[in-house]
Amino acid sequence: MTTPLLCIRDLHARVADREVLKGINLEVPAGEVHAIMGPNGSGKSSLSHVLAGKPGYTVTRGSVTFKGQDLLALPPEERAREGVFLGFQYPVEIPGVNNAYLLRAALNAARRHRNEPEVDAFDFLTLVKARMQLMRMDESFLSRGVNEGFSGGEKKRNEILQMLVLEPSLAVLDETDSGLDIDALKVVAAGIQTLRSPERAIVLVTHYQRLLDHVTPDRVHVLARGRIVRSGGPELALELERRGYDWLLDDAA
Amino acid sequence: MTQPDTPVSFSERLQRDYDLARAQGARPIVADSLRETSLAKALAAGLPALRDDDWRYARLRPVTAAQWLPAATADEASVIEPLRAALPDALPGFGRVVFVDGHYCASLSVADQSFSGGQLRHAASGAANTRNGEATNALQATTAERFAWLNDLFATDGAQLQVTGQLQLELLFISTITDTAAASYPRLQVQVCADSQLTLVERHLGSGGPTALTNVSVQVHLQSAARLQHYRVQAMARDAVFMDTLLATLDSRANYALTFINQGAATARSSLRLRLQGDNTQLSVHGVSLTDERCNSDTVIQLEHVGRNSRSEQVLRGVANGRSSIGLASRVDVAASAGGADSRQSLKGLIGAAGAEVNLRPQLEINTDEVKASHGATTGSLDDNTLFYLLSRGIDPETARKLLEWAFIGDVMSHIDIAGLRRQVELTTVSQLGNAAALEALL
């Protein structure tokens, strides 16, 4: 049996005095898409944040192994360079730093980390423009400030664009589908499908089934009260859509 | 000139230096009557005290420790000629006039002194030098401008610019004073006549030293419907002591866009007094102070809406690193006569390091009902969430911080409309922020 790309064992984490993760166990092999679903406050975003290394969370027990190495030992920027990408639920606006600069700086940081030469301006623009076309984004966006004045949908598209440019081994997308209209949802879903490959894994954190209509997951996990209380195939998401989460909450108590 | 062995009072010292300057035979360029008035005001006012609100965040000790007597003309061969290679690149379309240690420098100036759009004279050439006549006389003297009085007493030269058409001009004030104790008194009087237009770049550069004071006095008068785009860049050496007073008066329908960048000197203080005298005037002030190490930069703006339907907008930003401190104060007074005034003020400070300090003081005093006014002030360190966003994209923490500091001042930098100047200022800024290589790709 091959080692999974991501392996989470008995993960406990706190933010301030509150325990938000209470023993997560999860394995995500390369090539698979896993959906993490669950009610509000169940710990979905916390799990995403802990994987990306967001300050403020303290891991009190357990381990996270990524490509066989201890992910929790790495600072956030090194996790990113190793190939972990977090798609933010609420992408921040950074007026004064344009999208092109951020994308290129991020791409080159990862390339330097892999001892690859930095990408030159021409190749970079060729790559980004192709990805932007896929995401149906206007080229003028490159010279705009990062997420500055973007609508909610544009911000989410931008997250997926960054993901497509950086080509991470593991993408954790935190409620990337929230706030999207149907057309935008399809564009975002197409972007996610583009990244799908035997070498990569994708973790979709979501409330709803609707993204999963467009990106069929290999596995679905239900997170409640800081634990995974049920795992199954894509049919589990459909069942949740029908029955809600209440029937699972007793298991989590 | 050596410091006296026994301490003397401010008034004793001022009187003594004033007499010494006269005795040294320096030909005064300021009319006797004005100098006597300024001396009397300065003696009466004394040096600022820290309990004075307008001076609370200024660092005054270096000013008193510095020499006040004016520097002599710099030697052409040994001082001025080597400067040539160090000057910033010329700005296309701009005439350039250079003053070195407060003296007009013909060999470095590349502008003819009479332009199609106006005329520049320097006071030492024999032009009478008073203040800007009625316009600035209308400003009741306040002690915030006391260092302008010292400039009146000791200035050795001064640029007088009268604009009667359209003009683009760069004025470089360079200090070369390093190992001698002496002061430099840059002095500039600008009058933009009715319906005329000036783009003015005013830069203060060069060395300083803990005993060398640079004390600037600038007066601006915009006649009716005159327009002035004024860029002020203070990029003195890191040990310089820099004092600065700017007084501006706007007649009806005049439009004044002031952008300032304070990024040098160990100790810097700017006192700006801006008076919207006429009806339908417009003023915008976009300013940035950047400090690091143990530097102090203090800016105090007093803005007076007097005429009707005047508009003002102020965007002030401060980024303090190291153990430095920044003061940014702006007081807006809307007079009873200033119905229809519209005044906006935004002050933001970014504390880039644990030992740094930013003090913002917005003030608004309104004496009429018919007015729109808004003001806001926030100081803090970088937003953790934004920083994490950059880290999560693989950017290293130091670059991420500098990137966000850069972004923080973006809404001021974007107001530099002269491409060449903007490039030069941005390069100096990224180098000051550190991590220049990573940030230069931004430009």
Side-chain angles (χ1 to χ4, degrees):
Chain A
M1 185 177 160
T2 55
T3 316
L5 188 73
L6 177 72
C7 181
I8 303 175
R9 291 260 180 269
D10 192 30
L11 183 65
H12 287 66
R14 307 182 77 87
V15 60
D17 288 336
R18 199 163 51 91
E19 188 166 40
V20 287
L21 301 180
K22 301 175 182 173
I24 303 273
N25 288 289
L26 178 67
E27 288 190 358
V28 185
E32 292 194 0
V33 174
H34 286 215
I36 300 202
M37 304 181 75
N40 287 328
S42 58
K44 303 188 301 295
S45 287
S46 295
L47 177 60
S48 311
H49 291 158
V50 168
L51 292 177
K54 186 173 183 178
Y57 290 85
T58 310
V59 173
T60 52
R61 202 193 314 170
S63 65
V64 179
T65 313
F66 172 68
K67 292 181 182 168
Q69 63 175 328
D70 179 5
L71 187 69
L72 300 178
L74 302 177
E77 66 277 13
E78 280 187 39
R79 297 184 197 194
R81 293 173 203 159
E82 283 289 336
V84 176
F85 178 89
L86 172 65
F88 278 56
Q89 183 180 2
Y90 304 109
V92 299
E93 295 194 17
I94 317 179
V97 176
N98 70 43
N99 285 292
Y101 175 85
L102 174 63
L103 277 169
R104 196 169 165 199
L107 184 61
N108 282 331
R111 291 176 71 95
R112 280 195 302 272
H113 185 70
R114 298 192 296 260
N115 291 320
E116 292 171 12
E118 293 192 5
V119 63
D120 71 33
F122 181 79
D123 290 345
F124 170 73
L125 280 177
T126 308
L127 168 74
V128 172
K129 285 181 179 174
R131 300 289 191 265
M132 283 170 64
Q133 215 163 16
L134 189 70
M135 295 309 293
R136 299 192 192 167
M137 295 170 85
D138 191 87
E139 284 186 17
S140 65
F141 139 95
L142 277 176
S143 56
R144 290 169 63 186
V146 173
N147 293 321
E148 184 181 6
F150 285 23
S151 68
E154 285 175 322
K155 287 180 183 171
K156 296 300 177 74
R157 266 192 234 201
N158 192 17
E159 293 294 284
I160 300 302
L161 174 73
Q162 291 179 17
M163 179 188 80
L164 293 178
V165 170
L166 297 175
E167 298 182 318
S169 307
L170 171 68
V172 180
L173 304 179
D174 188 5
E175 300 203 20
T176 299
D177 53 339
S178 65
L180 296 181
D181 62 31
I182 294 296
D183 292 332
L185 183 73
K186 284 181 182 167
V187 171
V188 163
I192 297 170
Q193 287 289 37
T194 306
L195 192 77
R196 215 165 173 168
S197 78
E199 309 82 50
R200 305 179 205 288
I202 299 170
V203 174
L204 299 175
V205 173
T206 181
H207 265 296
Y208 306 109
Q209 156 68 23
R210 60 179 200 156
L211 175 63
L212 308 182
D213 288 339
H214 303 281
V215 184
T216 308
D218 298 286
R219 300 283 294 162
V220 175
H221 311 276
V222 179
L223 194 60
R225 294 176 185 153
R227 289 193 194 94
I228 289 177
V229 295
R230 183 68 60 104
S231 295
E235 69 287 349
L236 177 58
L238 294 168
E239 191 174 1
L240 292 169
E241 185 75 0
R242 249 192 349 265
R243 299 178 64 188
Y245 292 110
D246 282 350
W247 60 287
L248 290 168
L249 292 183
D250 291 341
D251 297 355
Chain B
M1 188 73 211
T2 53
Q3 291 293 320
D5 292 327
T6 49
V8 292
S9 70
F10 166 75
S11 53
E12 286 169 338
R13 180 178 173 193
L14 188 62
Q15 187 70 58
R16 181 200 68 197
D17 284 358
Y18 181 57
D19 293 340
L20 266 174
R22 290 159 63 114
Q24 282 172 357
R27 193 164 66 87
I29 57 126
V30 175
D32 283 346
S33 58
L34 175 58
R35 282 190 303 145
E36 292 299 332
T37 310
S38 296
L39 177 63
K41 286 185 201 166
L43 289 171
L47 277 174
L50 285 179
R51 63 177 175 275
D52 182 341
D53 255 2
D54 277 344
W55 296 91
R56 180 169 296 170
Y57 298 105
R59 194 182 284 164
L60 292 163
R61 191 164 295 170
V63 179
T64 51
Q67 180 57 270
W68 295 349
L69 284 171
T73 311
D75 181 69
E76 189 75 28
S78 66
V79 178
I80 291 180
E81 215 29 58
L83 277 179
R84 194 178 294 280
L87 295 182
D89 290 343
L91 302 171
F94 280 72
R96 171 178 279 178
V97 175
V98 182
F99 284 76
V100 176
D101 300 335
H103 300 270
Y104 173 70
C105 179
S107 58
L108 294 179
S109 298
V110 288
D112 192 301
Q113 287 178 42
S114 65
F115 312 92
S116 59
Q119 189 181 42
L120 179 98
R121 295 189 296 178
H122 65 101
S125 67
N129 195 300
T130 60
R131 294 217 182 202
N132 270 347
E134 293 168 17
T136 43
N137 286 342
L139 292 173
Q140 291 298 313
T142 73
T143 50
E145 67 203 58
R146 64 183 98 205
F147 283 93
W149 302 331
L150 258 67
N151 185 293
D152 289 342
L153 300 184
F154 295 117
T156 49
D157 205 345
Q160 290 174 278
L161 181 60
Q162 189 177 49
V163 181
T164 50
Q166 287 197 9
L167 185 60
Q168 299 191 117
L169 188 68
E170 180 190 27
L171 284 166
L172 291 183
F173 293 98
I174 301 172
S175 169
T176 67
I177 306 161
T178 47
D179 49 357
T180 56
S184 163
Y185 291 94
R187 186 176 176 89
L188 168 63
Q189 290 168 289
V190 179
Q191 184 168 48
V192 186
C193 296
D195 300 305
S196 299
Q197 196 171 333
L198 170 66
T199 304
L200 177 65
V201 176
E202 175 198 345
R203 291 202 255 195
H204 297 273
L205 307 168
S207 57
T211 57
L213 169 70
T214 295
N215 182 8
V216 182
S217 170
V218 177
Q219 295 159 53
V220 170
H221 178 205
L222 303 188
Q223 292 184 345
S224 64
R227 298 175 72 87
L228 170 58
Q229 223 172 357
H230 190 181
Y231 299 97
R232 309 189 81 209
V233 180
Q234 185 272 102
M236 301 285 292
R238 199 50 62 81
D239 56 356
V241 182
F242 184 86
M243 304 303 282
D244 168 44
T245 311
L246 167 74
L247 306 176
T249 306
L250 280 67
D251 291 351
S252 63
R253 291 178 292 122
N255 186 322
Y256 185 20
L258 170 64
T259 305
F260 68 80
I261 314 287
N262 292 330
Q263 55 187 172
T267 299
R269 157 69 186 229
S270 283
S271 308
L272 279 61
R273 185 135 177 245
L274 312 165
R275 185 173 169 98
L276 308 182
Q277 178 73 41
D279 295 343
N280 302 301
T281 53
Q282 288 199 43
L283 167 74
S284 73
V285 181
H286 290 82
V288 161
S289 296
L290 296 169
T291 55
D292 52 19
E293 297 174 6
R294 290 178 175 272
C295 299
N296 166 265
S297 173
D298 185 40
T299 300
V300 173
I301 298 177
Q302 188 180 349
L303 166 54
E304 299 161 51
H305 283 261
V306 180
R308 290 185 58 79
N309 301 320
S310 50
R311 292 172 62 92
S312 68
E313 182 191 16
Q314 297 179 77
V315 177
L316 306 178
R317 302 287 180 261
V319 179
N321 274 298
R323 299 184 61 77
S324 67
S325 59
I326 290 175
L328 286 171
S330 172
R331 178 191 164 102
V332 177
D333 286 303
V334 181
S337 56
D342 184 343
S343 173
R344 292 166 207 189
Q345 226 183 350
S346 161
L347 280 65
K348 289 185 187 172
L350 180 59
I351 296 168
E357 195 180 315
V358 179
N359 295 289
L360 305 178
R361 284 169 296 151
Q363 268 184 287
L364 192 54
E365 185 147 332
I366 299 174
N367 294 299
T368 176
D369 294 333
E370 192 197 343
V371 63
K372 277 196 275 186
S374 65
H375 66 109
T378 52
T379 307
S381 46
L382 289 172
D383 175 56
D384 287 342
N385 207 33
T386 310
L387 197 56
F388 173 60
Y389 189 80
L390 292 176
L391 300 182
S392 79
R393 297 302 179 251
I395 314 283
D396 68 86
E398 186 58 18
T399 302
R401 285 180 181 283
K402 297 306 167 191
L403 201 52
L404 294 177
E405 287 178 8
W406 174 264
F408 186 80
I409 57 173
D411 43 5
V412 173
M413 290 295 189
S414 64
H415 273 80
I416 305 179
D417 290 332
I418 304 164
L421 178 67
R422 184 165 168 179
R423 175 85 188 162
Q424 290 168 16
V425 170
E426 286 180 341
L427 284 171
T428 316
T429 306
V430 294
S431 134
Q432 185 179 356
L433 287 176
N435 230 332
L439 291 181
E440 266 179 38
L442 277 170
L443 309 183

